[in-house]
Amino acid sequence: MNEPDFDAIVIGSGISGGWAAKELTEKGLKVLLLERGRTISPADYQGEHKPAWQFPFRQLGDRKRYERDYPIQSTCYAFGEPTRQFFVNDSEHPYGQDPANPFRWIRGFHLGGKSLMWGRCTPRWGALNFEENKLDGHGVDWPIRYDDIRPWYDHVEEFIGVSGQTEYDLPITPIGRFQPGMLMNACETFVADKIREKFPGRHLTIAPSAILTKPLPGRAACHYCGPCERGCSTGSYFSSISSTLPAARATGNLTIVTDSIVVGLDYDPKSRKVAGVRAIDQHSRAGKRYTSKVVFLNASTLGTTQILLNSTSESFPNGLGNRSGVLGHYLMDHMYIDVAGVIPGLLDKHTIGNRPAGLWMSRYHNVGHRTAPFLRGFSIQGGASRANWTRGVDMPGHGAALKQGLREYGPWVIDLAAFLECLPYRDNTLTLDPVRKDQWGLPILNTRFDWGKNEREIAKFMVDDVKEMLKAAGATDFVQTPAELPPGGYGIHEMGTARMGRDPATSFLNAHNQSHEVANLFVTDGACMTSAASQNPSLTYMALTARAADYAVQQMKAGVI
């Protein structure tokens, strides 16, 4: 082989891709970062601080256009008139869904990916999360344990800046290297105290969040301005373009090519390695092939799987590294269901500013011993607030009386969302369409996803649990949305389709996120996950990425890769 163009190629610039670029460049590697979307910078956060009346549709957006071009993306909580630029046009980027078992694929094609509009909740996984597959026999055994990833959690938290409480160090959600946590408001504190009194061991507190309460180099502490999904020009919350990519650029070892759609990876059977990365410029349609010693695939769970399935050869007719046949199977997501209630009283209290961190309650069922008639369990997130003058559309009256009424805040409302763990099922799949192509001539991805019996049992249980806890705090006027189970993808935590494992016959990756079959291929985005836990997964993606990058460099120095 000729001398490769780069030491490493990273495909995807989101949460995990940014970390791969940072770690590899800081270890001295010359890295090419390929991003299929456009370049973007904080200067492009045009709606960051704009009030509703400065938008053409008063922040409600062009609903006819949304129905036509954004039927999937517009279901995301973060989608709206100020943020539409961060989401793909569904009509231009189609994918297939099983009508009876749909899956929502939320996507952002730009530098930084979904790290620009993610929810920022970053709890650690505990020891039990890495052991339960083996303990209850669902899925394959994780090839690592908590102690393997703990120092990498430390490493990631200190760099990105995670704020959070340090009061409750629980086995299922250990505390990390946290900056001071944001404060709960009066209603949240009241509800948390009532829950603790009535239900010992259930701790409602501020969520660990990738949002600064103390400045880090080049990034300011949060100033509580409001909707983070519009972008953060001060870098107060973690995103690739405010944190990891600037660090990678500072090494002088990073080359970024945007608007570059990766078609597939070429395989060399003699070396058992990726021999090249084929890409298309999304505008000119010109093809380009890049070579490197190592490849990190971080194109998002579905994007990564699509690339691997499309990377066929005589050695791997069903997708690169897929002799096991597990690639594209075991798709997982977090189901969540909201329950809201009115908390009477506390009318002399109100909030100041817009705190971006929510509430958090760690999983409390089936921890240490069986406490519920299902496997695994759920965590809880949420927050409490009082409606301001914007509630005027629902208020009676007019004139001076209406104006006076709008000067008063509404009652306190608390909203708690239970996030349940989805077990890995082989029938939840991603496949390439044999006929339909996208505008670049590539097979579109088909999805098929359904909740299992265990998830349906948890869903019923967790709604009752949340209502019971809120009733203990005196809540009234409950609202549950949605009443029916949401489709897969609604949690935007898709994972598991190129999972880690101990046995090459039942998994795609080894304990270091390295392909069992292709020596220089690493996958460290959500596709690598072996189980879903009930915690948000992004911190774990980042820690696994940093760990895998360290291992890859060691292997390169030893001449193994």
Side-chain angles (χ1 to χ4, degrees):
M1 293 177 64
N2 296 326
E3 188 66 21
D5 301 321
F6 297 90
D7 295 318
I9 294 174
V10 177
I11 302 169
S13 63
I15 283 172
S16 62
W19 263 95
K22 170 190 176 295
E23 295 296 295
L24 295 170
T25 54
E26 289 183 342
K27 295 178 188 301
L29 273 61
K30 298 294 184 182
V31 174
L32 170 66
L33 177 65
L34 296 175
E35 166 56 52
R36 70 171 292 152
R38 70 190 189 285
T39 188
I40 197 171
S41 74
D44 297 304
Y45 300 158
Q46 300 172 0
E48 183 179 8
H49 294 122
K50 287 172 65 173
W53 56 85
Q54 291 185 6
F55 290 93
F57 292 88
R58 302 300 186 262
Q59 211 168 293
L60 297 175
D62 184 342
R63 282 168 283 187
K64 289 185 178 180
R65 185 180 183 190
Y66 293 174
E67 291 172 6
R68 183 186 70 239
D69 294 335
Y70 299 90
I72 301 297
Q73 308 309 307
S74 61
T75 63
C76 177
Y77 76 95
F79 182 92
E81 194 169 4
T83 60
R84 181 177 57 81
Q85 59 171 323
F86 298 146
F87 292 84
V88 304
N89 184 313
D90 290 313
S91 62
E92 295 176 355
H93 301 277
Y95 71 100
Q97 299 186 72
D98 182 330
N101 302 282
F103 190 88
R104 292 177 179 169
W105 188 6
I106 305 298
R107 294 170 285 174
F109 290 164
H110 48 258
L111 197 65
K114 285 184 287 190
S115 77
L116 270 63
M117 62 280 201
W118 67 309
R120 306 164 305 282
C121 184
T122 48
R124 291 189 178 197
W125 287 25
L128 183 60
N129 298 124
F130 294 97
E131 298 167 1
E132 283 185 303
N133 276 14
K134 182 177 181 180
L135 292 173
D136 62 31
H138 286 267
V140 298
D141 186 20
W142 274 91
I144 63 171
R145 291 295 184 259
Y146 177 69
D147 285 344
D148 295 311
I149 197 172
R150 176 167 50 187
W152 299 102
Y153 277 140
D154 293 346
H155 177 61
V156 169
E157 287 165 343
E158 289 175 345
F159 181 81
I160 69 174
V162 174
S163 58
Q165 64 81 29
T166 56
E167 185 177 356
Y168 306 112
D169 190 10
L170 304 174
I172 196 71
T173 312
I175 60 171
R177 301 290 181 90
F178 291 166
Q179 294 189 353
M182 295 181 171
L183 299 179
M184 295 196 297
N185 62 42
C187 179
E188 293 166 346
T189 301
F190 173 80
V191 172
D193 289 343
K194 292 296 183 182
I195 291 174
R196 247 187 325 269
E197 291 172 14
K198 180 78 173 178
F199 307 96
R202 300 186 189 181
H203 305 292
L204 187 66
T205 186
I206 202 72
S209 304
I211 307 168
L212 303 184
T213 54
K214 290 185 174 181
L216 289 177
R219 300 171 59 201
C222 176
H223 56 283
Y224 291 63
C225 72
C228 301
E229 65 272 9
R230 298 187 187 186
C232 183
S233 58
T234 59
S236 303
Y237 76 68
F238 167 80
S239 71
S240 295
I241 64 175
S242 70
S243 183
T244 46
L245 293 184
R249 281 193 181 103
T251 67
N253 291 328
L254 181 66
T255 300
I256 296 177
V257 177
T258 54
D259 297 307
S260 185
I261 299 171
V262 173
V263 174
L265 311 180
D266 293 334
Y267 177 71
D268 176 22
K270 293 182 180 179
S271 64
R272 293 186 59 245
K273 295 178 183 179
V274 174
V277 176
R278 287 173 285 115
I280 298 173
D281 183 283
Q282 73 158 310
H283 301 300
S284 69
R285 296 339 195 235
K288 181 78 174 180
R289 186 175 184 272
Y290 303 95
T291 60
S292 65
K293 297 175 183 175
V294 67
V295 174
F296 270 67
L297 191 44
N298 302 91
S300 82
T301 296
L302 276 69
T304 284
T305 304
Q306 185 176 22
I307 290 170
L308 290 170
L309 288 171
N310 202 44
S311 301
T312 57
S313 64
E314 186 176 341
S315 300
F316 295 107
N318 298 314
L320 182 62
N322 190 31
R323 289 198 180 99
S324 66
V326 302
L327 180 66
H329 294 275
Y330 306 104
L331 176 63
M332 297 175 285
D333 185 35
H334 283 140
M335 182 200 299
Y336 74 91
I337 298 177
D338 291 272
V339 179
V342 174
I343 302 295
L346 303 172
L347 299 181
D348 60 333
K349 309 291 184 184
H350 59 85
T351 58
I352 299 174
N354 295 285
R355 186 197 71 207
L359 299 178
W360 169 260
M361 181 184 288
S362 294
R363 174 182 143 192
Y364 51 84
H365 278 306
N366 302 331
V367 179
H369 61 283
R370 191 75 175 266
T371 60
F374 48 75
L375 296 174
R376 319 286 173 99
F378 57 90
S379 60
I380 293 173
Q381 300 178 42
S385 62
R386 296 181 69 183
N388 58 19
W389 64 269
T390 58
R391 75 190 194 284
V393 68
D394 300 317
M395 289 189 67
H398 59 276
L402 175 62
K403 292 178 183 178
Q404 181 58 41
L406 292 177
R407 292 189 177 98
E408 305 294 331
Y409 285 90
W412 283 98
V413 176
I414 187 164
D415 187 311
L416 297 181
F419 276 67
L420 68 78
E421 175 172 357
C422 172
L423 297 178
Y425 300 108
R426 184 174 177 84
D427 287 343
N428 287 339
T429 58
L430 305 175
T431 57
L432 294 185
D433 195 292
V435 177
R436 295 179 66 195
K437 311 285 185 183
D438 65 17
Q439 58 183 297
W440 296 279
L442 305 177
I444 68 166
L445 195 66
N446 288 333
T447 64
R448 188 267 176 206
F449 184 91
D450 193 17
W451 304 110
K453 180 180 178 182
N454 197 65
E455 290 76 48
R456 296 176 188 278
E457 288 295 322
I458 299 177
K460 294 183 222 173
F461 209 92
M462 69 189 188
V463 169
D464 292 339
D465 261 21
V466 172
K467 286 183 177 178
E468 187 180 25
M469 286 188 282
L470 291 181
K471 284 179 181 177
T476 61
D477 301 323
F478 291 104
V479 176
Q480 174 193 330
T481 54
E484 70 285 346
L485 297 185
Y490 190 67
I492 324 178
H493 293 163
E494 58 270 18
M495 53 188 124
T497 49
R499 66 186 181 183
M500 298 169 68
R502 300 179 186 274
D503 185 352
T506 58
S507 60
F508 190 82
L509 304 166
N510 67 16
H512 296 281
N513 296 80
Q514 180 185 30
S515 166
H516 288 300
E517 306 284 353
V518 185
N520 65 340
L521 174 63
F522 292 80
V523 177
T524 65
D525 59 17
C528 78
M529 302 296 277
T530 310
S531 62
S534 61
Q535 297 98 308
N536 304 56
S538 294
L539 182 73
T540 300
Y541 301 167
M542 292 187 263
L544 288 172
T545 301
R547 180 175 179 269
D550 182 70
Y551 174 81
V553 172
Q554 290 180 26
Q555 294 291 293
M556 292 171 74
K557 288 180 178 178
V560 178
I561 297 178

